[in-house]
Amino acid sequence: MIEELLIYQEADAKLRKIETELSGSEARKKALSAKKYLESVEANVDNLDARAAKLLDVYEKALSEQEKLKEFETEFESAVKEADNSSEVSYLIKKVDEVSVKIKALSAKLNKLAEEIQSVVKEYVGIKSTTKAMQAQYAENGKKYNELKASVKDEKEAVEKELEKLKKNVDPALMDRYLKKRAAKIYPVVYEARDNVCGACNMELPMSEMNRLKNGEVIECSQCGRLIYKKK
């Protein structure tokens, strides 16, 4: 029972090698990195649009308020020149000072808002530049990755056909267990027990599990998840 699965796993190693070569290729990594960035661009631009709209709205309101205060300041200054008594002059001068302080505060706020708006513009420029570079990276490396896949296509198909034949010799239930482990990125899947430990992770196996192994069962290691067997 286990012998047929071991033969299958040996053939599966050839498929695993091809898959590892493809998934670990620099072209695939660069293409995926570029794709991930490009998929995030729309959301990033939307966030910048929202920030820019909010900043512009606050800037325009502050600018409008500043212009009104400057009008008040001019009116108060004119009133000071036309005032008839000292108490009225003092009151108007006080108002001019208050308005002047508010104008200065708004000027500082406008300068800060202008800096933030400029920062958003720089981010737009940066995104545009990076997006162009990522589009080129995706196109170039996507092409290289497709060429790499094409170069191993025949070999991969031959191995897959071989596995389909070997699969028929393996107990269906055991084959199902193997394939589930394989799909979970566990490989190699099957290991031989060494004395009383898992051959993959060296975890000591309980006596009850050892008895099952001696009876010819294939067990699952509770630590690494591999399928463990013992030679008769």
Side-chain angles (χ1 to χ4, degrees):
M1 180 174 68
I2 193 64
E3 288 77 12
E4 290 80 3
L5 184 60
L6 290 172
I7 293 171
Y8 181 94
Q9 179 169 262
E10 186 177 348
D12 195 17
K14 291 182 283 186
L15 179 60
R16 172 72 175 181
K17 183 180 178 182
I18 296 170
E19 291 173 342
T20 302
E21 180 185 349
L22 289 173
S23 64
S25 68
E26 198 64 26
R28 180 177 181 274
K29 290 177 182 177
K30 288 183 177 180
L32 286 178
S33 175
K35 183 181 179 183
K36 185 177 180 181
Y37 176 85
L38 292 171
E39 288 174 344
S40 69
V41 165
E42 186 175 351
N44 290 337
V45 170
D46 287 344
N47 288 335
L48 283 177
D49 283 341
R51 279 176 58 196
K54 185 177 180 180
L55 286 170
L56 189 59
D57 180 59
V58 175
Y59 184 89
E60 289 176 346
K61 287 179 180 177
L63 187 62
S64 176
E65 186 178 354
Q66 186 188 54
E67 289 173 353
K68 289 179 182 178
L69 287 171
K70 285 182 177 179
E71 290 176 5
F72 288 145
E73 185 180 43
T74 301
E75 290 175 8
F76 284 135
E77 287 174 346
S78 297
V80 168
K81 294 176 182 177
E82 297 173 3
D84 295 327
N85 57 71
S86 58
S87 61
E88 185 178 1
V89 170
S90 297
Y91 170 77
L92 290 171
I93 289 175
K94 182 179 179 182
K95 283 296 181 183
V96 169
D97 290 341
E98 289 175 358
V99 171
S100 179
V101 169
K102 289 181 180 180
I103 289 173
K104 287 180 180 178
L106 278 172
S107 293
K109 181 178 180 180
L110 285 167
N111 287 336
K112 185 177 180 181
L113 286 168
E115 289 176 1
E116 291 182 31
I117 290 171
Q118 188 60 35
S119 176
V120 170
V121 172
K122 286 181 180 179
E123 285 190 54
Y124 267 120
V125 173
I127 285 177
K128 184 177 179 181
S129 175
T130 305
T131 298
K132 187 176 180 180
M134 288 295 110
Q135 286 172 334
Q137 179 176 310
Y138 181 72
E140 179 186 353
N141 288 280
K143 181 182 178 182
K144 287 181 180 179
Y145 180 59
N146 286 334
E147 289 173 351
L148 180 59
K149 284 198 295 184
S151 71
V152 297
K153 181 175 179 291
D154 291 344
E155 181 185 359
K156 185 171 182 286
E157 288 180 351
V159 174
E160 288 172 340
K161 286 180 181 179
E162 180 185 2
L163 288 172
E164 278 302 310
K165 290 179 181 178
L166 293 173
K167 185 178 178 180
K168 297 173 183 177
N169 300 325
V170 184
D171 176 75
L174 188 57
M175 189 76 256
D176 183 61
R177 292 169 69 188
Y178 178 97
L179 292 176
K180 285 179 179 177
K181 297 293 181 184
R182 181 74 158 80
K185 309 296 183 183
I186 295 175
Y187 193 87
V189 178
V190 184
Y191 274 87
E192 180 185 358
R194 299 197 314 272
D195 296 325
N196 63 334
V197 299
C198 169
C201 66
N202 295 319
M203 186 191 81
E204 188 173 349
L205 301 170
M207 186 58 69
S208 58
E209 298 289 79
M210 288 302 300
N211 289 333
R212 290 176 61 195
L213 287 172
K214 289 175 182 176
N215 290 331
E217 291 186 48
V218 176
I219 67 169
E220 180 178 322
C221 177
S222 59
Q223 179 163 287
C224 68
R226 261 79 175 189
L227 298 180
I228 311 298
Y229 75 98
K230 191 172 181 63
K231 285 183 179 179
K232 294 182 180 179

